[in-house]
Amino acid sequence: MRITCVGGGPAGLYFAVLAKLADPAHEVTVLERNPPGVTYGWGVVFWDDLLDELFAYDRVSAQRIWDAACKWDEYEVRATGKAVTHLAGYGFSLGRHKLLSLLSERAVELGVRVSYRSDLSDTPDADLVVACDGAGSQLRSSAAVHFGTEVSLGRNKYIWLGTPHVFDTFTFGFEKTHAGWIWYHAYPFDENTSTFIVECTPEVWSALELDRLDAAAGCARLETVFAGHLGGQRLIDRGNGWMNFRRVTNQRWDNGNVVLMGDAAHTTHFAIGSGTKLAMQDAMALADALALPGDLPQALERYEHRRRAALAPLQRAALASSEWFERMPEYADLPSTRFSYALSDRRGEYPLWRYLLHLSTQRSVPRAMLRSALSARRWSRARRRPDAEPRVPLLTGG
């Protein structure tokens, strides 16, 4: 089969790897519009469930990702006028550039042709074309009526920045200015750099004149606002500018031999940090669907059915999370512990015992015990991964 992935992000590169592993005779090409090493964003986050799946599908690339990842074992919440609090949980982060480099290297090792600076405007000549060229997909846009594409904009403004200040762990920071509240989502992704996503309501954005300042002046303004969090370090803008989150949905994901994947098919708000995870799980599901008996239309139907079922709860959670941040000022007067718990439970899913656990782990000894338990669980799980059983293609599930 001749397969072309339009877009060299995590979805396209990982599917190319899996397609070659499934059948080395497949002719697999990845087309990317940018030059090598150029990518949007800074770092990505993921959790154990994705790592387990990565090891089950391709142990080689999974081990490289695990080795390169930055590990953190709690969340920290800082807010003007409130004591610092902590949330239970752990995860991993990795520079987006590093992730793409690892996946492209693995793809090339397996015989995939990766072509940079490619024109993505026309549908390639292939048996299967995977449109994984992002939320603004050109391939999808050319047949938007067929796919039933709908795009809605979130209310808040946000900007994706980086900083040489290396945060100890995943940190939420909220600052009250003369214009109102503004906050960041930050996490380290290598020994020298952290992602720093700034978000605020449009009213605060305008009142701070961030709508009128250029990139350098805007970063300088934000450095002043968040001076107490940055340790004297600067903020770096790669030119993406301020945005409103685009929630992309499609009524159907295939059109003949063209199928949507990753952000081209669906987006989830960055506040739950699942974009990369979902894109790579899309790749797994499509690889599984193609491995089962049947023709291409049947395979694409199986793929879409499986992924829609898995996505539904996450999309609801992402919507609830983004709406919480749009209402954030309503929670600002809560005491520190209740405020951070409201942030943690912004999807509205937690039972009472989670609040009791949250209260107890604000004290140093219970918090240290919980972190130790989570750390032991993480490393125990990691030791089991290289011996994971080979995957079996599934008709349903995430």
Side-chain angles (χ1 to χ4, degrees):
M1 179 182 289
R2 294 175 303 144
I3 300 171
T4 297
C5 300
V6 179
L13 287 170
Y14 195 60
F15 175 70
V17 166
L18 298 185
K20 266 296 190 180
L21 286 172
D23 187 348
H26 287 325
E27 297 178 17
V28 185
T29 300
V30 176
L31 303 178
E32 169 56 43
R33 65 167 62 89
N34 291 319
V38 175
T39 182
Y40 167 77
W42 293 85
V44 298
V45 296
F46 48 95
W47 290 268
D48 276 304
D49 57 345
L50 178 63
L51 277 171
D52 291 344
E53 291 177 301
L54 294 178
F55 271 98
Y57 278 77
D58 177 33
R59 299 175 190 179
V60 174
S61 59
Q63 187 65 53
R64 294 173 185 175
I65 290 170
W66 164 258
D67 290 342
C70 178
K71 290 84 173 175
W72 34 271
D73 59 5
E74 67 177 357
Y75 298 81
E76 189 170 281
V77 182
R78 297 175 172 269
T80 302
K82 301 181 191 297
V84 175
T85 53
H86 302 87
L87 302 175
Y90 60 91
F92 310 88
S93 44
L94 183 66
R96 182 175 169 86
H97 176 271
K98 181 64 175 179
L99 175 62
L100 297 183
S101 175
L102 293 174
L103 292 177
S104 62
E105 288 172 6
R106 178 61 171 153
V108 170
E109 287 173 4
L110 294 170
V112 174
R113 185 174 74 90
V114 181
S115 177
Y116 295 96
R117 298 185 179 89
S118 296
D119 180 7
L120 308 186
S121 57
D122 296 324
T123 304
D125 180 20
D127 300 314
L128 173 63
V129 177
V130 183
C132 41
D133 49 339
S137 170
Q138 295 183 38
L139 279 186
R140 186 199 64 220
S141 298
S142 65
V145 173
H146 172 85
F147 289 115
T149 305
E150 295 182 2
V151 180
S152 59
L153 295 180
R155 185 173 187 274
N156 282 357
K157 306 295 291 189
Y158 76 97
I159 188 169
W160 198 300
L161 304 172
T163 177
H165 177 70
V166 180
F167 285 82
D168 293 332
T169 190
F170 196 113
T171 304
F172 294 101
F174 298 81
E175 279 293 326
K176 188 175 185 179
T177 70
H178 70 276
W181 287 90
I182 185 170
W183 56 90
Y184 65 83
H185 317 234
Y187 51 89
F189 62 82
D190 63 30
E191 61 184 9
N192 300 311
T193 325
S194 298
T195 294
F196 196 88
I197 305 172
V198 179
E199 184 181 6
C200 60
T201 65
E203 293 81 11
V204 170
W205 180 65
S206 297
L208 291 176
E209 299 183 336
L210 295 167
D211 56 339
R212 296 190 284 277
L213 298 175
D214 62 20
C219 280
R221 177 68 51 85
L222 293 174
E223 286 165 7
T224 300
V225 170
F226 295 115
H229 303 258
L230 290 170
Q233 297 287 357
R234 64 195 180 102
L235 293 173
I236 305 168
D237 182 356
R238 286 181 173 161
N240 296 304
W242 287 90
M243 297 169 281
N244 294 79
F245 178 74
R246 288 187 295 173
R247 184 173 185 266
V248 176
T249 58
N250 291 277
Q251 293 180 9
R252 59 179 303 172
W253 290 8
D254 65 279
N255 181 19
N257 69 331
V258 177
V259 64
L260 305 179
M261 180 181 288
D263 282 353
H266 51 79
T267 60
T268 54
H269 194 265
F270 57 84
I272 68 167
S274 294
T276 299
K277 165 187 169 178
L278 296 177
M280 297 181 80
Q281 288 176 330
D282 283 355
M284 298 170 190
L286 182 56
D288 282 348
L290 291 171
L292 293 168
D295 57 18
L296 183 61
Q298 290 175 312
L300 299 186
E301 182 178 354
R302 285 194 294 263
Y303 157 69
E304 180 177 344
H305 174 75
R306 171 176 165 182
R307 292 307 294 150
R308 281 193 187 278
L311 281 164
L314 275 171
Q315 287 176 324
R316 289 192 296 269
L319 182 59
S321 180
S322 64
E323 290 175 344
W324 188 93
F325 281 103
E326 291 175 357
R327 302 190 309 271
M328 179 268 154
E330 299 177 13
Y331 302 92
D333 292 333
L334 291 174
S336 57
T337 303
R338 289 181 58 194
F339 174 77
S340 58
Y341 185 75
L343 170 65
S344 175
D345 191 31
R346 58 190 181 274
R347 308 175 199 179
E349 301 171 341
Y350 289 166
L352 176 61
W353 68 263
R354 288 295 295 261
Y355 181 61
L356 300 176
L357 176 66
H358 176 67
L359 289 177
S360 67
T361 53
Q362 299 314 304
R363 299 193 298 273
S364 59
V365 173
R367 177 176 155 230
M369 293 174 61
L370 178 60
R371 292 178 68 184
S372 296
L374 292 176
S375 180
R377 178 185 176 190
R378 163 191 279 168
W379 290 107
S380 174
R381 194 167 181 172
R383 285 194 295 270
R384 295 195 301 268
R385 286 190 187 114
D387 299 321
E389 292 297 324
R391 66 184 174 88
V392 177
L394 301 173
L395 283 171
T396 60

